[in-house]
Amino acid sequence: AEKIVSGIMDALGLESKFKIKVANVPNVEATLKHHERYILYNPEFVNQVNEVTKDKWASIFILAHEVGHHLEGHTEAGLKSRPAIELEADQFAGFVLCKMGATLQQSRLAMYYISNITSSKTHPGRLDRLVAIEKGWHKAEMQKELENNSVPITDNSSATN
């Protein structure tokens, strides 16, 4: 889990300052303790997702989603799970997975196994979550295209007139 979070942060060009800990939680959760950012995870849950999906991207998505809660300010604001913030974290995770090289299908894979079809008070329904992931993924894809098509900036200070 630490290596995955480190890879997520590398893809963003940021230093990882999260504490990653095995914990007695139902799945994975982002939290603040003593002004430190934690990602707590249940290894049985992560292993189960890996087994069911047979794809490394599913667990990467789950951890990226939790990183998203931290970087989107959800944990600092003390926000509890609700559909709007879950969609922000899903979009963030879609963005990150694209940056890391996952296809859109790979980025969306975990959601087929971990989400409910219908929404609840805390989490949106599967279709809304898949749309959010796709939105984030396409945002990163557009950035890649812009970077590939941009004209490099040159230093003209030594040019003569």
Side-chain angles (χ1 to χ4, degrees):
E2 285 182 39
K3 286 181 185 177
I4 292 172
V5 171
S6 182
I8 290 165
M9 298 305 286
D10 285 347
L12 296 169
L14 300 172
E15 191 175 322
S16 182
K17 294 182 179 179
F18 300 109
K19 301 216 182 284
I20 316 300
K21 300 285 182 194
V22 171
N24 185 19
V25 293
N27 42 52
V28 184
E29 127 187 355
T31 190
L32 287 177
K33 291 184 179 188
H34 309 292
H35 306 290
E36 297 276 355
R37 291 177 172 179
Y38 282 85
I39 295 178
L40 307 176
Y41 73 99
N42 177 332
E44 290 178 26
F45 171 79
V46 174
N47 290 335
Q48 185 179 18
V49 170
N50 286 339
E51 283 180 32
V52 171
T53 62
K54 297 180 181 5
D55 193 305
K56 68 176 184 174
W57 292 110
S59 56
I60 294 170
F61 173 87
I62 291 166
L63 290 166
H65 174 95
E66 298 306 324
V67 168
H69 281 306
H70 280 303
L71 297 184
E72 292 283 355
H74 302 157
T75 51
E76 278 190 34
L79 300 175
K80 301 290 183 203
S81 287
R82 60 179 201 259
I85 68 170
E86 294 303 324
L87 291 174
E88 284 181 8
D90 288 340
Q91 185 174 333
F92 175 88
F95 179 89
V96 168
L97 265 66
C98 179
K99 288 280 194 183
M100 293 179 75
T103 65
L104 178 57
Q105 181 179 359
Q106 290 167 326
S107 300
R108 295 170 64 177
L109 183 60
M111 202 49 63
Y112 290 104
Y113 297 95
I114 65 171
S115 67
N116 291 322
I117 293 173
T118 57
S119 61
S120 69
K121 289 180 182 179
T122 60
H123 288 78
R126 182 177 299 147
L127 183 58
D128 290 337
R129 298 189 81 174
L130 292 170
V131 168
I133 295 164
E134 185 171 348
K135 186 176 177 183
W137 192 91
H138 282 300
K139 184 177 180 181
E141 189 67 16
M142 284 178 35
Q143 277 188 4
K144 284 184 191 177
E145 287 178 26
L146 287 172
E147 289 166 4
N148 291 338
N149 295 328
S150 67
V151 177
I153 298 172
T154 57
D155 182 6
N156 292 329
S157 62
S158 61
T160 57
N161 294 341

